[in-house]
Amino acid sequence: MGKRLADIGLENTEDNRRKYRQLLFTTDKELGNYISGVILFHETVYQTSEDGTPFVELLKQIGIVPGIEVDTYNSRSPSYEAILENANVLARYASICQANRIVPIVEREIPPDGDHDLERCQQVSETVLAFDYEALADHNVFLEGTLLKSNMVTSGQVAATKAIKEQFTKATVTDLLTDQLFLDYERASQASVLRAWVGKDGNVAAGQKELLIRAKANSQASLGKYEAGSPQGKAGETGLFIKDHAN
């Protein structure tokens, strides 16, 4: 959040973070047609709008299911031991979530940092996925009651040769053929919103308009109906990669 606010020249204060989240969560109810759930950070769960309405309630009012970030992140350079350990930790986490009537989102965190090629990313993605689901079965997790938060299969950000979009699209689809898919458009949804808002109260409506445009485009993409270049967002040509990213 600090990096995103810095990008538009805002100080990373709790109130600025709250104002930005209020912009997102008070957008027109149409937003609920395109976004089904939001993963909230611990701070966000307890924040309220200016009129005192909890953010969790605002989300419910527009038909969006609120969730909370409860897991930690995986190793960036997976050895066999690291993959096995992370899979078992994720499986235990999923089991605990289900025991408490929470739907676990199992995330195989494979960041785009590094100089790896497309083939290496696909190999790691498929291997981690196999380990994850074996561990989930071993821990008696109800698989139909879980969601997989997947990654795009791409070459590394500093790879000597970058895969073109047709190549990484095919690699990602191949990887996802056996997945129970949960699509996360968090960064893609917010970049244009921030550029339109830039922390000014008078720009809240402009930011919300950008959110609706991008959310609709992402929803269409998940259904295979998106036409490339159709929405012209404020950050349409801006790279969204953040080195060593963590929520």
Side-chain angles (χ1 to χ4, degrees):
M1 195 62 184
K3 292 179 181 178
R4 293 183 180 129
L5 292 178
D7 186 54
I8 58 172
L10 282 185
E11 185 180 358
N12 184 19
T13 65
E14 181 178 356
D15 192 50
N16 281 338
R17 295 193 296 271
R18 189 200 62 78
K19 284 183 178 179
Y20 176 57
R21 291 161 181 156
Q22 177 175 279
L23 178 158
L24 298 176
F25 303 155
T26 57
T27 299
D28 189 273
K29 288 186 177 181
E30 181 187 353
L31 187 65
N33 295 332
Y34 313 126
I35 297 176
S36 58
V38 174
I39 304 174
L40 304 176
F41 186 64
H42 181 270
E43 174 184 80
T44 319
V45 174
Y46 298 100
Q47 287 181 323
T48 65
S49 62
E50 291 178 353
D51 65 5
T53 306
F55 283 163
V56 169
E57 292 302 317
L58 288 178
L59 287 169
K60 290 179 180 179
Q61 288 172 15
I62 57 176
I64 295 176
V65 178
I68 184 170
E69 188 82 46
V70 297
D71 58 334
T72 56
Y73 289 86
N74 300 343
S75 171
R76 292 176 54 214
S77 301
S79 63
Y80 170 86
E81 291 78 9
I83 295 174
L84 181 62
E85 179 61 22
N86 281 322
N88 282 315
V89 169
L90 284 171
R92 290 197 296 273
Y93 142 78
S95 178
I96 293 169
C97 283
Q98 289 188 343
N100 289 277
R101 302 183 62 80
I102 297 172
V103 176
I105 298 175
V106 179
E107 179 177 5
R108 50 172 188 182
E109 181 74 1
I110 303 175
D113 306 69
D115 58 1
H116 57 271
D117 58 21
L118 183 67
E119 290 73 22
R120 172 62 177 166
C121 185
Q122 186 166 2
Q123 177 191 34
V124 170
S125 297
E126 292 177 356
T127 300
V128 171
L129 178 65
F131 273 72
D132 284 347
Y133 274 94
E134 182 177 2
L136 289 169
D138 289 344
H139 285 76
N140 297 314
V141 172
F142 178 60
L143 297 183
E144 292 85 345
T146 66
L147 292 171
L148 170 69
K149 180 179 175 182
S150 192
N151 59 286
M152 291 293 291
V153 178
T154 64
S155 46
Q157 287 293 320
V158 294
T161 303
K162 293 286 188 71
I164 61 176
K165 65 179 181 180
E166 288 81 7
Q167 291 174 315
F168 68 71
T169 299
K170 182 179 180 180
T172 301
V173 171
T174 300
D175 174 56
L176 295 177
L177 285 176
T178 58
D179 289 359
Q180 182 180 351
L181 183 58
F182 167 65
L183 298 176
D184 176 16
Y185 292 117
E186 178 252 348
R187 266 187 274 181
S189 298
Q190 295 188 54
S192 293
V193 180
L194 284 162
R195 296 294 175 86
W197 174 55
V198 295
K200 297 181 179 179
D201 292 342
N203 292 340
V204 168
Q208 292 175 334
K209 180 180 178 181
E210 288 287 340
L211 178 60
L212 281 173
I213 290 172
R214 185 54 56 188
K216 183 177 181 180
N218 290 334
S219 177
Q220 290 173 333
S222 71
L223 299 172
K225 298 179 180 179
Y226 172 71
E227 294 183 12
S230 54
Q232 300 295 320
K234 292 286 185 181
E237 302 300 321
T238 304
L240 302 182
F241 170 69
I242 301 175
K243 183 176 174 56
D244 298 328
H245 172 71
N247 285 352

